[in-house]
Every structure is written in C-alpha cells, then in structure tokens.
Amino acid sequence: MSILPDDIRYEILSRLPVKSLLRFRIISRFWLTLIDSPNFIKSHLKQSVKTKNNLNLILGCVSPSLFNFSRLCRLDLDSVEGDGILQPVEINDNPLRHHLYKNLIWGTCDGLLCLSNTKEAILLWNPSTRITVIHSNIHQNDRSICVIDNIDIVVLWNPSTKKSIELPFASIEIKDARRFDKYRTYGFGYDNTNDDYKVVRVVVVLDVVINYEVKVYSLRSNSWHTANKFPNQYPDLSGIGNSVAGGAMHWISIDADLNRSILAFDLGMETYRVIQQPEYRDCVFYSCLASFEGCLSLTCHSFSGNVDVWLLKQYGGENEYWSRLITLSSEQNISDTFSYFLRCIVYSKNGKKVLLEMGTFLVWYNLETRSLGDIRFHSEEDALEACLESLVSVGVAEAG
C-alpha cells in the first residue's frame, strides 16, 4: 500500500472495519499515528454512518438457567436484512458481564454505548441534610448513618476497541429521597459546543410534592455536576427512550394542570426549550420520545388502535416541523397496541425499510408499500440499540 498516494491510502483505510485497523496500528509508528489521529477517527466514523457497513445491533441475552442476567449479544445489520436464521453472538468483553442483574442500555453515540447495572454499596445518610452519599471515609464525624442500598454502575464502552470507563458515583441530592419511590433515566450524546460526550441523569422522587433533579456527566472532565431544572414542571420518565438528538436530551414534562410538553435540554448550553407538538389525529393514551438515525422521534399509541411515528425535521431551525414517518392502523396484522412498545431502530441500507422493535419482536416496515414484513427476531429482553463500529476513545483526555 506504500506505493499508493497518501489520499488514496487514507480513503481505503477509512472504509475498513475497526478490527482490521487495530491490527494495522502495530505495523509501524506512522500507521499508529495515522489511525489514532482525531481527523482519521472522525473520517472513519463519517464513512461508517454513510454506508452502514460497520453497524451492529447490541441486545441483552439473559440466561436464567445459568443465573447469568448480564450478557450482551451482537447481530450485524447484514444478517438482519437477509432471510437466514439469526444467531446472536455473545460479546465476551462486556464490562458489566460479571454482575448479577441485567444490563440496561441507555443509548449509543458514535460507536460508544452507555450501560448500567446495579450493585449494593455502603452509603452515608446525613440526618441534618437528609442527603445520601457514597461511603468514602469510615471515620466520619458528622453523625452520618451508614446504610446499605443499591446504586447504579454506569459505564461508557466502545465494543469495537473493547475500551470502557466507569463513571464516578453521583449521589441523589434530593432530601429524603431514600424514603420515597424514585425513578431515573439516563441520556447519552455528543456535545458539539464543547467537543465532549455527556451523560444526563434525571431522577424523579414521588414525594407529597413530586421533585426531581438533573445531573450532567462530562467525559472530558470525568465529573458530574447539577444542572438547573425547568420550573414548575416535572418529567414523565415513562415516555423516554434513548432521547438524545440534535445535541439535546428530550423528555415529556407535566405541569400542575397535567398539561404535557416536550422539553429539550441542550447538552452544551444546558438550557431548555419547549418543542411544539405534532397535530395528533387521534386521542393518544401513550407516547414515547426516542432518537432515530439522529432525529428526534415520537411514537404515539392511540385509543383507536392506530400507532403513529413522527420525526422532527430541520431540528432547531425556524422551519422546524414534525413529519409522520409510519402509520400502523388497527386493521393491520399487528399485536394489540395496548400491550407492546414500538420503536424505530434503524433504516435498511437502501433506505426503503425501517427496522421496528414491536414489543419482543424485530420486524421490517416497508416505507414504499406501507406494510409490515415477516418477524426477523424474537427476544424477551428490552435492551436493544444499533451501534456503529468506531475508533472513538473513552479516554478522559481524548473526548471527541
């Protein structure tokens, strides 16, 4: 390859799978420097996004008989597009594979996955502040009380390079949070303003008055901080999937009169804005926000039995609008809409089909014929994300 011009070599390398590039790094210092350079990493990622040649589905694979609930498996997009029987391949280097509980996949961005599991930990509860923090010093003199509780272990992981980082513990700073039911969700995405990868955690505590907090993790600084809240409303976490798109995390927010809004929390500026909702054609009983191919999607299940999937086009611009991508009518051969959750996973390589997660099934939807295809896969697990192969680093000093 040395006889080829540099630009041709660069173009060829940018089309190769990560596994091959990792082997080429050891050939010479020149190749190592080239493949590890930020420009090449971004070029390779851009090529993968364009062609979908290096795209896999990452899904949970629970084995109750083996008391193994934290397995993760891989399916490549080419096999899902084909007609053969799908055989998921276990990912042996999953960083949370030794934990007792099942892994939760909170999102994917540029080839990185945000995962969590649960473990028991000794925490310190301060009766004065009513705030719980992780036990870090056994010789406490502030009258804190030791308690044992379950906490999240959150990691950012690149399955292609097999590198991961465990995020530092982030306490819940809502008073008396331990005494009441609490729910949490995580969002993960890229902050283009600061060239950083961010994790956003939203915790809702069901006290007499519903309270919540928003914390943001920065990979560049490897630290958490508390962000401002949107006033006089609280998040409805039942309607959030992997909802980071356009550089913002989104959730459905409810005010004192039970009016529902779609909020966008900008990862870079940490400001909020309300997004205009689409013109619903039916009375919606359940809706969910998610990210689909870089766009914000909104799935609406109606009492009529119809299911609509909307995409927000021209995000953040003056002409921002909702476009209906998919409509499934009650007359179509689908499951009872009251009993499953529908989500768009990925476009086919030719862009004419969309892979849908319908409850426990993976099904192709043909955009030209507006019809569902045969079931491609059945899984009892709800952990599923499409993840590109990439060289993006989880190193704290190399974010972006």
Side-chain angles (χ1 to χ4, degrees):
M1 190 179 280
S2 59
I3 63 174
L4 296 174
D6 288 346
D7 57 340
I8 300 299
R9 282 191 289 173
Y10 195 93
E11 181 68 21
I12 293 173
L13 288 173
S14 68
R15 296 172 181 269
L16 295 178
V18 170
K19 187 175 181 180
S20 298
L21 292 171
L22 294 178
R23 289 201 303 264
F24 293 162
R25 291 171 74 252
I26 65 175
I27 292 178
S28 68
R29 183 174 296 276
F30 171 80
W31 286 63
L32 173 64
T33 302
L34 171 64
I35 294 172
D36 285 354
S37 67
N39 285 339
F40 179 79
I41 290 173
K42 291 179 180 179
S43 177
H44 181 267
L45 178 64
K46 183 178 180 180
Q47 186 67 27
S48 296
V49 171
K50 179 181 177 181
T51 63
K52 289 191 169 73
N53 285 336
N54 302 315
L55 189 139
N56 295 288
L57 301 182
I58 309 296
L59 61 155
C61 298
V62 170
S63 300
S65 59
L66 301 176
F67 298 98
N68 188 344
F69 295 89
S70 59
R71 295 170 60 222
L72 290 175
C73 296
R74 172 190 289 115
L75 285 171
D76 67 89
L77 181 61
D78 288 335
S79 65
V80 179
E81 289 205 51
D83 298 323
I85 297 175
L86 298 179
Q87 296 291 342
V89 177
E90 183 172 358
I91 306 173
N92 294 320
D93 55 348
N94 157 26
L96 298 177
R97 62 190 179 279
H98 298 304
H99 289 276
L100 295 176
Y101 304 98
K102 73 176 183 178
N103 291 320
L104 298 176
I105 305 177
W106 295 104
T108 178
C109 178
D110 295 347
L112 303 181
L113 281 167
C114 181
L115 308 173
S116 78
N117 209 299
T118 305
K119 72 174 182 180
E120 280 191 346
I122 299 175
L123 306 175
L124 294 173
W125 180 65
N126 189 314
S128 301
T129 63
R130 300 178 183 176
I131 291 174
T132 303
V133 298
I134 197 167
H135 190 288
S136 58
N137 183 1
I138 197 167
H139 302 293
Q140 293 288 327
N141 55 11
D142 59 359
R143 297 185 181 181
S144 295
I145 300 172
C146 285
V147 296
I148 297 177
D149 203 353
N150 290 328
I151 65 170
D152 285 340
I153 312 162
V154 185
V155 300
L156 297 181
W157 172 45
N158 186 325
S160 302
T161 64
K162 304 180 182 180
K163 302 295 185 181
S164 64
I165 181 174
E166 182 176 330
L167 277 56
F169 173 76
S171 62
I172 299 174
E173 298 181 29
I174 300 175
K175 290 185 177 181
D176 287 337
R178 292 191 65 254
R179 296 176 50 200
F180 300 97
D181 291 334
K182 52 184 177 291
Y183 303 90
R184 55 82 175 94
T185 192
Y186 293 87
F188 171 55
Y190 179 64
D191 169 12
N192 186 62
T193 303
N194 301 295
D195 188 23
D196 196 3
Y197 289 95
K198 301 283 185 70
V199 177
V200 180
R201 187 190 70 181
V202 182
V203 176
V204 177
V205 176
L206 302 183
D207 198 342
V208 177
V209 176
I210 297 176
N211 199 357
Y212 78 99
E213 70 174 18
V214 179
K215 284 197 170 185
V216 180
Y217 168 83
S218 160
L219 178 60
R220 185 170 291 281
S221 66
N222 192 31
S223 63
W224 291 90
H225 67 270
T226 302
N228 292 328
K229 299 187 294 185
F230 192 78
N232 304 318
Q233 296 190 17
Y234 65 90
D236 176 10
L237 299 190
S238 66
I240 302 178
N242 171 25
S243 60
V244 175
M249 181 176 174
H250 306 81
W251 60 79
I252 295 171
S253 193
I254 302 175
D255 65 17
D257 297 322
L258 302 183
N259 297 312
R260 301 168 69 85
S261 304
I262 298 176
L263 283 187
F265 173 75
D266 187 275
L267 298 182
M269 304 301 293
E270 297 191 4
T271 54
Y272 293 90
R273 73 181 181 100
V274 177
I275 294 177
Q276 185 72 30
Q277 299 186 53
E279 295 184 6
Y280 304 114
R281 59 178 180 144
D282 291 314
C283 184
V284 175
F285 74 86
Y286 176 75
S287 58
C288 184
L289 293 166
S291 174
F292 175 60
E293 298 272 3
C295 291
L296 180 65
S297 72
L298 176 65
T299 301
C300 301
H301 293 250
S302 303
F303 284 104
S304 65
N306 296 325
V307 182
D308 292 326
V309 179
W310 301 82
L311 295 184
L312 188 60
K313 300 289 189 175
Q314 298 187 25
Y315 186 93
E318 293 182 0
N319 298 319
E320 181 180 84
Y321 68 97
W322 289 98
S323 173
R324 191 159 56 208
L325 176 70
I326 293 172
T327 294
L328 296 176
S329 67
S330 57
E331 289 77 25
Q332 288 180 275
N333 185 24
I334 60 175
S335 305
D336 179 5
T337 58
F338 288 84
S339 64
Y340 75 88
F341 163 71
L342 184 146
R343 182 167 63 109
C344 297
I345 303 299
V346 67
Y347 284 111
S348 62
K349 285 188 174 182
N350 62 15
K352 296 180 180 180
K353 296 187 296 183
V354 175
L355 186 64
L356 301 180
E357 180 186 16
M358 300 177 65
T360 59
F361 300 104
L362 289 181
V363 183
W364 284 108
Y365 177 84
N366 191 307
L367 293 170
E368 294 181 333
T369 63
R370 299 287 173 180
S371 61
L372 292 169
D374 295 330
I375 294 172
R376 288 298 294 127
F377 190 73
H378 171 68
S379 172
E380 295 297 335
E381 288 305 301
D382 54 4
L384 172 67
E385 286 292 339
C387 185
L388 288 166
E389 290 186 10
S390 85
L391 294 161
V392 173
S393 172
V394 293
V396 172
E398 301 174 294

